[in-house]
Amino acid sequence: MEEKWWQRSVVYQIYPRSFQDSNGDGIGDLPGITSRLEYIRDLGTDTIWLSPIYKSPNDDNGYDISDYQDIMTEFGTMADFDVMLEKAHSLGLKIVMDLVVNHSSDEHKWFVESRSSRDNPYRDYYIWREGKNGGAPNNWGSCFGGSAWKYDEQTDMYFLHLFSKKQPDLNWDNPVVRDEVFNMMDWWLQKGIDGFRMDVISLISKPEGLPDGEPGPTGYAPFLLTANGPHEHEYLREMNRRVLSKYDLLTVGECAGVTLEEAKNYANLDGSELSMVFQFEHMDADFHPVYGRYAEQCKNLPRLKATLARWQKELDGVAWNSLYWDNHDQPRVVSRYGSEKPEYRELSAKMLATCLHMMQGTPYVYQGEELGMTNYPWTSIDQINDIESLGNYRDLHARGYMSEEQGVAMMRQRSRDNARTPMQWDDGPNAGFSSGTPWLPVNPNHTVINAAEQVKRPDSVFCFYQKLIRLRRELDVIVHGHFELLEPEDPELFIYTRTLGDEGLLVMCNFSENARDWAVPADYAGADVLLANYPTPAESGRLRPWEAIVLRKGAK
Ligand code: GLC
Ligand code: CA
């Protein structure tokens, strides 16, 4: 099969609110992004995924859209967008936009109409139901806590919102809704954008009859029971036929609740749906067995390895993986699987990068990940802005499962705000992000972790990412090699091979601060060192704390 451009790409994700403020209001914006495009080009990534920049009342920071064809006031104007797009293209950077169409904002004109009367022409754009036994139509819970239904007095009915009350779910079973969405997508593609990252796209087709589900610890049935619904693939194929297939795009579906079998449909290499999916199984590998994500982190390296290995092997030749540790919804990976200790922080950031970037799939780098940015040292619940971690904390706190103190500890490990503190550009005031007061606090460690210092230091995390990104462009074995996991049960070492014909890579990563004896297998004896995170040569038969080494054999 012919290689697609996005199979060799590395994507850089921007969360615009936190990337670069240009006018001192403390909020990142489009001119700010435009001013930093050279930095992204210099890193070597070729594609940018922009989290939403559309008009929004910001109940969920732009993931609640009130006009899909306009720009958020705080971020600038459509003219600012056009300038950014043109400059990006002139630097050889593609732009992939976030597409948030499982739901809109309740302030979108479709919903304003829809809620106004039972027979309004827009009524069926959303999912309205009568209450049952004096309460909600079913027991589904919202991803952000509480019921997934809101009662609306105006027409004495409930509407569905899998996310916040200000994010009503669109009714994809209505063909007019699909027309509207497809026309809007086409409008952006005509402008020249290069693809879409599709927000919770696995949730658009709701189960027939909206049945009750098994309640979880919060008393509600988890919203994920709506994933991969009966018409999911039918709607995506229609989208592909009517819109996507007319362009040469990178499309990635954020597929909460996706299974391997489902991913083979979503991301099939036959091109009938999307280029690739974001799966969540490796993100769930450190969840608490009962309370899930918003509880104490439960690390388990064998589980993480088994999950990633399954996705590597099963999609090989059939579909395409995306590779990520970080995004705007996840805590920082250095704090999660690496070490914040000064002597190990950079080593562990490079080790984690190696482990991910040597796999098959398209890697995503989330702003600041290329610097080894860490979680924020939250000291109080009041500092948290993130609607998801707050909502889940409130549910668990109200039921007596989590004290306030435990809540703060949980936020430090788990809140989405850990990813959303401002980008650390330099060691000056507000890390060079803004001349005003930033909307979220700047991590105090910007005095030691920042871009200005790293771009000019050859052994920095930034320069290590540059190397990884360059290698992917140069070596077919990184793009296409077959994956094999070694030592699946080892609780500290993550070791695998990639093989393509005679060529092979042995990737050895130590996920701990213990030095570990581990002998290189005979078929890699004498192989070249392609990459290493320590400045001094490897010690034979041993992996030092947080060490990563890649050996290469059979190269022509
Ligand atoms: C996705 C987004 C997340 C948002 C949610 C609702 O998971 O990545 O940030 O809150 O969808 O749109
Ligand atoms: Ca601004």
Side-chain angles (χ1 to χ4, degrees), residues 20-31 74-75 433-434:
Q20 177 68 66
D21 176 21
S22 72
N23 62 353
D25 66 354
I27 297 174
D29 47 49
L30 289 170
E74 297 89 324
F75 289 176
F433 163 70
S434 173

Side-chain angles (χ1 to χ4, degrees), residues 13 15 49 51-52 60-64 98 100-103 143-144 162-164 167 197-201 203 223 254 256 280 327-329 386-388 416 420:
Q13 185 194 348
Y15 192 68
W49 151 29
S51 275
D60 185 21
N61 291 344
Y63 282 92
D64 48 318
D98 222 301
V100 189
V101 288
N102 172 69
H103 44 267
C143 175
F144 295 162
L162 293 182
F163 295 88
S164 93
Q167 291 168 300
R197 174 269 186 187
M198 302 183 187
D199 192 67
V200 287
I201 201 71
L203 307 182
F223 74 104
E254 189 210 15
F280 282 80
N327 62 39
H328 65 292
D329 293 331
D386 167 25
I387 189 172
E388 182 176 293
R416 304 193 298 179
R420 300 176 180 186

